[in-house]
Amino acid sequence: MTLKLATISLFAGLTLAAGSATCNNRPIELSHDRNAAAKNSTAAQTILTAQTAADSDQKSLQSILDGSAKLEKVAGDFQFIEGPVWHPDGFLLFSDIPANTIYKLASNGKAEIFRRPSGNANGNTLDKQGRLITAEHGNHRISRTETDGKVISLVDKYEGKRFNSPNDLVVKSDGSIYFTDPGYGVSKDKKELTFYGVYRLAPDGKLTLLVKDMVQPNGIALSPDEKKLYVNNSEAGYIAVFDLNSDGNVSKERVFAELKDIGKIGVPDGLKVDVAGNVYSTGAGGVWILSPSGKVLGKIPVPEMATNLAWGDKDYQTLYITASKSLYRIRLKIAGARQIGS
């Protein structure tokens, strides 16, 4: 599939709206030129920011995103894409779930088939050896692609019962794989588990159920110091955060941030973190940017429903965004926290 490169000029400048502090941190939409926007759907817009007059929030956002940054549509005509991950050899991998395909976006400007069938792959990440770790929705498993291309199953059951729909995953520096297992796309009569869980697969193969009471656990990420685990609770509309204990288990669950914007499509889905600990989550209207304390700093508007994201390029300062049928990217001023193996 050939790249279709188009520039959507979304950021004419960084604007912070002064206003009441009683807006519950909900982002407001600010148009750079409403008359121009009416004439041209790709007219410049300012970034969406939390309604606050705090100078510190403006400075935080300006350290992340330049006012001249542009969102680029890199490729399109997919069915429904997810799970982007940057490979250290210089290319992006991402899943098209209903197409049963993992694509490779190479530097030569083409999206090529990396694997088909893929087990209806969803989330992807890398392990310490740079091997691809995949949450396979269709095969109800977590798999690993060996260096010779062979795909092996790492785990597909909990206490003898098949997983629902493995969704997203992240690898800790000790080699542990943390992953979510919601119930998307699986009919009730075919479900073997009665809950939707968050799990840890240890390097020795031991599987531990960490959380079982979320509505639909989805995107998952670690803080740069690996002391916190973030999990998107999609249907509930918020990011949960846990303390990550030295034994690999979690404790002290709390709401990190609510990502609700009435009238905008999308739910909290994919999650990533930058080197400063800022959290990026797809959600209603695009990609939400939050401080390490959970304060909404801004939102990157995306024309389609954003599903997931990944840091990429040599300096790790390009944010790749999967959004329904298209792949987008935008350059940032800050690097992402590198995934294990990248």
Side-chain angles (χ1 to χ4, degrees):
M1 186 172 294
T2 304
L3 287 177
K4 296 182 178 181
L5 185 61
T7 299
I8 301 174
S9 182
L10 289 175
F11 306 100
L14 296 176
T15 301
L16 200 69
S20 169
T22 61
C23 63
N24 296 323
N25 230 17
R26 179 187 173 192
I28 60 173
E29 294 195 22
L30 305 172
S31 176
H32 175 66
D33 186 339
R34 294 189 183 274
N35 291 329
K39 298 176 182 178
N40 185 352
S41 62
T42 61
Q45 295 177 340
T46 56
I47 191 166
L48 310 184
T49 62
Q51 189 175 6
T52 173
D55 290 339
S56 59
D57 291 344
Q58 186 175 23
K59 291 178 181 178
S60 296
L61 191 60
Q62 288 175 338
S63 68
I64 294 170
L65 189 61
D66 189 87
S68 62
K70 291 179 172 62
L71 184 71
E72 296 177 305
K73 181 177 179 180
V74 180
D77 297 331
F78 301 104
Q79 293 185 40
F80 188 83
I81 59 174
E82 255 277 8
V85 63
W86 184 260
H87 194 279
D89 288 344
F91 56 85
L92 186 81
L93 295 173
F94 59 96
S95 304
D96 191 331
I97 302 174
N100 202 15
T101 302
I102 296 177
Y103 285 102
K104 172 184 176 181
L105 182 72
S107 58
N108 64 0
K110 291 184 179 180
E112 305 166 346
I113 294 174
F114 177 80
R115 183 194 307 158
R116 179 188 290 168
S118 68
N120 301 106
N122 193 330
N124 297 287
T125 191
L126 301 174
D127 68 6
K128 295 177 67 174
Q129 290 74 37
R131 296 170 298 189
L132 182 67
I133 309 295
T134 300
E136 296 185 11
H137 160 79
N139 289 333
H140 310 275
R141 70 175 184 174
I142 303 299
S143 69
R144 183 176 71 211
T145 303
E146 304 291 4
T147 54
D148 62 1
K150 182 181 179 181
V151 180
I152 65 170
S153 181
L154 296 180
V155 64
D156 61 1
K157 292 181 177 67
Y158 174 70
E159 295 186 344
K161 296 183 178 181
R162 188 184 66 187
F163 290 133
N164 300 301
S165 177
N167 185 284
D168 209 356
L169 62 180
V170 65
V171 178
K172 193 170 178 280
S173 60
D174 68 357
S176 298
I177 302 170
Y178 292 81
F179 66 96
T180 58
D181 181 42
Y184 296 121
V186 182
S187 60
K188 288 185 178 181
D189 63 316
K190 293 185 178 180
K191 289 179 181 177
E192 297 183 9
L193 292 168
T194 59
F195 57 87
Y196 306 132
V198 180
Y199 298 87
R200 173 182 181 257
L201 182 64
D204 63 3
K206 180 182 178 181
L207 180 67
T208 303
L209 174 63
L210 302 176
V211 183
K212 62 180 297 184
D213 58 357
M214 282 190 164
V215 182
Q216 290 283 14
N218 202 322
I220 189 167
L222 291 164
S223 60
D225 60 8
E226 299 188 334
K227 293 182 178 180
K228 295 178 182 178
L229 181 72
Y230 301 97
V231 180
N232 266 333
N233 197 350
S234 293
E235 302 307 313
Y238 67 84
I239 303 172
V241 61
F242 302 82
D243 288 346
L244 194 58
N245 306 328
S246 58
D247 62 1
N249 292 317
V250 298
S251 61
K252 298 181 181 178
E253 178 184 1
R254 57 228 184 248
V255 175
F256 177 70
E258 291 191 346
L259 307 187
K260 297 179 179 179
D261 197 354
I262 297 174
K264 300 293 184 182
I265 61 169
V267 296
D269 196 341
L271 270 174
K272 290 296 182 291
V273 180
D274 69 23
V275 292
N278 298 303
V279 176
Y280 301 70
S281 176
T282 60
V287 175
W288 296 55
I289 305 172
L290 304 105
S291 72
S293 65
K295 179 178 289 187
V296 178
L297 300 177
K299 186 199 292 183
I300 301 171
V302 179
E304 302 174 64
M305 186 177 72
T307 60
N308 214 325
L309 58 167
W311 303 102
D313 292 350
K314 190 174 181 179
D315 59 6
Y316 239 52
Q317 288 184 219
T318 298
L319 189 65
Y320 286 88
I321 303 165
T322 52
S324 298
K325 297 183 178 182
S326 303
L327 176 68
Y328 297 86
R329 68 185 175 196
I330 187 170
R331 288 288 295 172
L332 302 185
K333 295 168 67 176
I334 192 169
R338 289 186 178 270
Q339 291 186 288
I340 300 300
S342 63

